[in-house]
Amino acid sequence: QLLDELSILWTMGLCYSYWFPMHHFPPFIKNRKQFASVVGIVIVVSTLMSFVKPALNAYVLNSVALHLLYVVFMEVKRNTNPRIHRLGATIVIWWSIAITCWLVDKFCCDFCKKINFCYLHSLWHIFINLALMFLSTLIIYFDVLYEMPNSEPDVLYWPSEESLFSLPYLTIEKSHKWC
């Protein structure tokens, strides 16, 4: 269980480090390398603390998730693309389901044991990973939108746009960024 949560924490941290929009950086952060260093320190400290106090990891994960949801809300509000609005709504739906499972598991564990349903924490892992998958696509979309202003990023879904279970992916038209 601890390794599952650490993998979620590290995935969120990498998403933050590589693709988080620079205009959301705190004022004392001057560039992405400095931001990645700060995020890396927080992830390493959180990882080490999870061996000392494992319950702390869940609170760190949910704190990071709340911050990402706030950023998603602010960015989606500024965007006019209906696919981005849908992606933002999908993230909120999956995260809401995940956090509901976590809260019920955390605060109603005795009741869940009485009815012989002890799977909510497992469901939390599944739903938070779904939310993270959609979130990563959205954060990368915003990174491309701001860091490559001449490109035209868009989000498409496989196999179709109609299903809540479709996988989002990013397309980039007119890519002119040189490494």
Side-chain angles (χ1 to χ4, degrees):
Q1 178 180 334
L2 177 63
L3 291 177
D4 290 342
E5 290 174 3
L6 287 177
S7 68
I8 295 167
L9 177 68
W10 279 85
T11 303
M12 288 173 81
L14 290 173
C15 185
Y16 253 98
S17 296
Y18 294 134
W19 301 301
F20 196 71
M22 291 178 69
H23 64 273
H24 287 291
F25 286 2
F28 62 90
I29 301 287
K30 303 300 180 212
N31 56 42
R32 185 158 309 274
K33 185 177 180 182
Q34 191 179 22
F35 182 72
S37 297
V38 171
V39 170
I41 290 168
V42 170
I43 292 172
V44 168
V45 169
S46 296
T47 300
L48 295 174
M49 287 300 297
S50 68
F51 291 107
V52 176
K53 182 113 173 115
L56 182 66
N57 197 30
Y59 294 105
V60 171
L61 279 173
N62 287 321
S63 298
V64 171
L66 280 173
H67 179 253
L68 284 170
L69 284 174
Y70 170 75
V71 170
V72 163
F73 175 76
M74 297 305 292
E75 289 294 334
V76 168
K77 190 169 76 168
R78 292 172 44 177
N79 198 290
T80 58
N81 186 337
R83 288 184 176 135
I84 299 306
H85 286 251
R86 176 186 176 218
L87 189 55
T90 305
I91 292 166
V92 171
I93 289 168
W94 286 122
W95 183 84
S96 299
I97 293 169
I99 199 67
T100 300
C101 290
W102 185 81
L103 289 170
V104 171
D105 179 59
K106 180 81 175 158
F107 297 111
C108 301
C109 189
D110 291 336
F111 174 74
C112 292
K113 285 180 183 176
K114 284 180 186 175
I115 64 170
N116 201 23
F117 190 76
C118 301
Y119 307 108
L120 288 173
H121 193 82
S122 299
L123 292 174
W124 174 81
H125 282 276
I126 293 167
F127 295 134
I128 202 69
N129 277 306
L130 282 169
L132 187 57
M133 176 190 63
F134 286 91
L135 177 73
S136 297
T137 305
L138 187 61
I139 293 294
I140 294 169
Y141 169 86
F142 288 125
D143 181 57
V144 170
L145 188 67
Y146 297 126
E147 298 298 316
M148 298 169 55
N150 293 330
S151 65
E152 295 175 5
D154 199 9
V155 173
L156 300 177
Y157 294 89
W158 180 87
S160 71
E161 288 196 35
E162 286 77 36
S163 173
L164 183 63
F165 299 101
S166 294
L167 299 175
Y169 65 95
L170 192 64
T171 62
I172 302 172
E173 299 293 325
K174 299 182 183 177
S175 176
H176 297 294
K177 186 171 183 177
W178 297 94
C179 298

